[in-house]
Amino acid sequence: MEAMIERCAGLDVHQETVVACVLFGPLDKKPNTSIETFSTTTTGLLALSDWLTTLRVSDVVMESTGVYWKPIWNILEDSFHLVLANARHVKNVPGRKTDVKDAEWLAKLLRCGLIESNFVPPEDIRDLRDLTRYRKKLIHHRTSEQNRIQNSSRC
């Protein structure tokens, strides 16, 4: 595989931790690797951002099947070119699988330009979607309570 990005990072995202692997070095040689684990608290994510900035990373890829990628995206989106990878498209070879190996695999795929990004709408659209979903949930709860009251008054 031919390298295309000189300094990139792969993030394996979980509920409580983020494992980050940075690959850096000349494109025609084997890259140097730096691996760290960060918590998903705001302090931990800011430390992740500072660490990536210190290593002069330009591109970051993350893979997450749930919603755990959202706070990381919000903190990193202004400083880096971000790619959200579909878990099915970047699946590693079955076998001994660790978070570190996953992060390294993602970084290798990104370095070679082999990851297609999922669409992530702009922040204002994401906020609007969240509000719409929350409104729908509130309406559902209200309807549920109305039905419960109606059913209890029939007895």
Side-chain angles (χ1 to χ4, degrees):
M1 296 188 293
E2 184 180 322
M4 299 172 67
I5 300 171
E6 195 170 305
R7 293 177 172 273
C8 63
L11 306 179
D12 191 35
V13 180
H14 298 282
Q15 184 176 2
E16 295 181 9
T17 61
V18 178
V19 177
C21 174
V22 174
L23 298 179
F24 57 95
L27 296 177
D28 58 342
K29 296 184 179 171
K30 185 177 178 187
N32 297 318
T33 304
S34 183
I35 299 171
E36 291 283 333
T37 301
F38 299 89
S39 72
T40 54
T41 62
T42 303
T43 306
L45 296 179
L46 290 172
L48 168 64
S49 180
D50 292 343
W51 181 71
L52 293 172
T53 302
T54 302
L55 292 172
R56 299 191 328 253
V57 170
S58 60
D59 295 67
V60 177
V61 63
M62 64 182 86
E63 174 263 328
S64 181
T65 53
V67 296
Y68 303 130
W69 62 271
K70 288 182 179 183
I72 299 162
W73 188 279
N74 291 337
I75 288 180
L76 299 180
E77 74 178 323
D78 293 332
S79 304
F80 306 97
H81 176 258
L82 297 177
V83 175
L84 181 64
N86 187 321
R88 278 184 282 170
H89 297 154
V90 295
K91 193 173 190 176
N92 204 342
V93 179
R96 288 177 283 181
K97 188 172 172 292
T98 66
D99 298 339
V100 172
K101 286 182 182 178
D102 281 349
E104 192 171 4
W105 175 248
L106 288 169
K108 285 179 182 177
L109 290 176
L110 180 64
R111 184 172 167 92
C112 297
L114 296 175
I115 295 182
E116 184 178 325
S117 179
N118 285 343
F119 173 71
V120 178
E123 186 177 7
D124 55 342
I125 301 297
R126 293 193 312 258
D127 292 342
L128 183 61
R129 283 180 173 182
D130 289 341
L131 285 172
T132 305
R133 288 182 183 123
Y134 182 60
R135 181 181 179 274
K136 185 176 178 181
K137 186 187 281 188
L138 288 175
I139 291 170
H140 175 75
H141 285 305
R142 183 185 71 189
T143 305
S144 177
E145 288 300 312
Q146 287 173 339
N147 290 339
R148 188 182 65 79
I149 291 169
Q150 286 176 355
N151 288 337
S152 66
S153 64
R154 290 183 188 160
C155 295

